[in-house]
Amino acid sequence: MVLPFLVSATDTRSSARRGTLQTRHGAIETPAFMCVGTRATVTGLEPADLRAVGAGILLANTYHLLLRPGPELFRRVGGIHRFMGWTGPVLTDSGGYQIFSLASDRTISEKGATFRSYVDRQRHLLSPERSIEIQTAIGSDIMMVLDVCPDARAEESTIRKAMERTHRWALRSLAARTNPEQALFAIVQGGVVPKLRQESAAFLTAQPFDGFALGGLAVGDTRPEREEITHSSAALLPAERPRYLMGVGTPPDLLHAIGAGIDLFDCVLPTHLAWQGTAFTSTGRVRVKRSACAVADKPLDESCACSTCRGFTRAYLHHLFKCGEPLGPRLLSLHNLHHYLALMAEARAAIDVGSYASFARAKLAAIDRHEHSERSLAGSPLDDLDDPS
Ligand SMILES: [Zn+2]
């Protein structure tokens, strides 16, 4: 088997599960959060930094790497691990989401998507076969099929057409795989329509994929819709294969989805918000550019063990951001990733001892309490969330 997956514990009062996913570049303890290194870099951080905050697996993006540096360069240097100096596992997204959310002047047909490069204005075709070819050149441990990502608010007929094309593209991706050592995950679509999600899961799980992802969430859906679909869809996926919730989300999103039995996550939020000056802490979000931080002679988070919190005060971070110094976003990125990865480690420990449901309830209550108590000071906790990846 390409990607041996061992489930070692399941929670008693939720569907949370503990597992180990064995890749060519080491084991991943699940549930796991993947740090987003879209362009073969987690912006501002080097691999040693990522290891220091506990990163186990990185996510890179086929769409961006196709445009620059291009697959030929990866073939020449022997793949992404050597190129970026990261020896751990890498998952590549197929580019499907970026085609639908970012690409300009694009045309989508049964063959694939053609679009104009933001680098040199050349036209490119990204088909299911081409996406697999590029991901093979990149040399990721886990590849994703190219999928069609409609807005969750689209008409049901539009969502159905996108789902059916996603299925046909998934079969073409399977047929296009040339390196049997690289795992390939399918992506369940179907918007927030339960019967479509069921149909999609039934179709894809009948095929020999190494894992299954839930796509098309956090694209216009509400949090209750997202939680409902995540719970009902995760239950439709085979227990013996890893499950990946794509592009979601906030710490409460992760806590809910782990309880639904999801194993893998990625989200740009911790790094994206770090560059805007927002930190996730155990007592709610902190915006270091606010004047309240200017003279705050204390760390971002008293209970955090990261190097930023051990070495620097809020006042210093405020100063760095006010001066536009690149050390500011770098220190916040380290802290935010540490915050996310520590949350995952705590979740794994709670599942190991069968107490995940009560752990998650306590964490969610604390987050809710802090976000509400800070709302008058810091604005809505949701007003940072409208970021593209
Ligand atoms: Zn910290």
Side-chain angles (χ1 to χ4, degrees):
M1 184 170 289
V2 180
L3 203 64
F5 181 54
L6 176 72
V7 176
S8 55
T10 48
D11 188 42
T12 46
R13 290 170 180 269
S14 74
S15 300
R17 62 208 204 136
R18 263 289 277 127
T20 307
L21 195 56
Q22 195 67 48
T23 77
R24 295 178 302 164
H25 290 89
I28 304 158
E29 298 302 323
T30 65
F33 179 80
M34 299 186 272
C35 300
V36 179
T38 302
R39 296 181 175 87
T41 171
V42 178
T43 307
L45 305 184
E46 59 175 300
D49 298 323
L50 297 167
R51 277 186 217 101
V53 293
I57 171 169
L58 303 189
L59 178 145
N61 190 276
T62 301
Y63 168 81
H64 293 286
L65 295 178
L66 155 66
L67 300 180
R68 194 166 46 193
E72 190 47 45
L73 190 278
F74 284 105
R75 284 190 199 100
R76 198 171 302 159
V77 302
I80 191 170
H81 297 86
R82 185 153 170 267
F83 182 52
M84 68 176 288
W86 169 255
T87 56
V90 173
L91 178 146
T92 36
D93 194 0
S94 63
Y97 178 79
Q98 285 69 28
I99 290 293
F100 290 91
S101 60
L102 300 178
S104 63
D105 193 12
R106 64 159 196 249
T107 321
I108 316 279
S109 69
E110 188 63 22
K111 189 175 179 193
T114 57
F115 62 96
R116 204 173 280 288
S117 164
Y118 62 80
V119 176
D120 58 10
R121 307 300 295 156
Q122 293 291 308
R123 286 200 77 77
H124 288 268
L125 167 71
L126 193 62
S127 63
E129 293 80 6
R130 179 77 174 135
S131 180
I132 294 295
E133 182 192 334
I134 298 161
Q135 293 181 76
T136 303
I138 293 170
S140 54
D141 300 275
I142 302 173
M143 306 185 289
M144 301 300 299
V145 301
L146 190 68
D147 61 335
V148 183
C149 307
D151 191 291
R153 296 261 79 85
E155 293 286 321
E156 188 174 323
S157 59
T158 304
I159 293 174
R160 168 172 284 284
K161 282 198 189 97
M163 176 195 80
E164 290 172 347
R165 180 170 279 170
T166 294
H167 294 171
R168 293 190 294 273
W169 284 8
L171 297 182
R172 284 168 55 188
S173 302
L174 260 184
R177 172 154 66 162
T178 54
N179 181 355
E181 292 192 345
Q182 286 175 281
L184 179 61
F185 282 17
I187 303 174
V188 173
Q189 286 286 352
V192 290
V193 186
K195 68 175 188 231
L196 293 184
R197 289 279 172 181
Q198 282 166 15
E199 201 176 318
S200 189
F203 182 92
L204 294 168
T205 58
Q207 303 297 329
F209 288 104
D210 304 299
F212 298 91
L214 301 179
L217 292 170
V219 286
D221 43 313
T222 64
R223 179 173 287 173
E225 284 173 331
R226 188 154 70 240
E227 286 172 7
E228 171 59 32
I229 288 292
T230 301
H231 272 265
S232 56
S233 301
L236 302 168
L237 301 176
E240 69 279 8
R241 296 281 81 211
R243 303 162 180 161
Y244 164 27
L245 179 60
M246 303 183 79
V248 179
T250 62
D253 284 330
L254 302 190
L255 289 163
H256 278 289
I258 292 170
I262 299 290
D263 308 300
L264 293 168
F265 299 89
D266 78 282
C267 188
V268 295
L269 270 186
T271 38
H272 186 89
L273 290 188
W275 280 79
Q276 292 178 2
T278 298
F280 290 90
T281 77
S282 59
T283 54
R285 295 187 192 194
V286 173
R287 299 181 190 203
V288 300
K289 285 189 267 190
R290 294 197 164 225
S291 54
C293 288
V295 292
D297 187 25
K298 62 177 185 178
L300 273 177
D301 188 341
E302 308 270 8
S303 66
C304 179
C306 86
S307 56
T308 300
C309 291
R310 279 187 282 114
F312 307 97
T313 60
R314 290 186 182 193
Y316 182 60
L317 296 168
H318 175 88
H319 166 72
L320 292 176
F321 270 89
K322 281 291 171 190
C323 297
E325 286 288 340
L327 183 59
R330 184 179 137 74
L331 292 176
L332 249 62
S333 295
L334 286 169
H335 165 82
N336 278 354
L337 286 177
H338 182 277
H339 182 81
Y340 265 62
L341 294 165
L343 178 69
M344 302 307 278
E346 284 180 65
R348 290 194 296 269
I351 303 169
D352 276 335
V353 296
S355 65
Y356 181 75
S358 54
F359 161 80
R361 224 174 6 253
K363 277 276 176 193
L364 286 166
I367 292 168
D368 197 42
R369 194 167 61 244
H370 292 304
E371 300 271 333
H372 281 91
S373 67
E374 295 221 331
R375 185 166 293 178
S376 56
L377 266 177
S380 161
L382 298 178
D383 62 10
D384 291 320
L385 303 184
D386 56 343
D387 56 289
S389 60

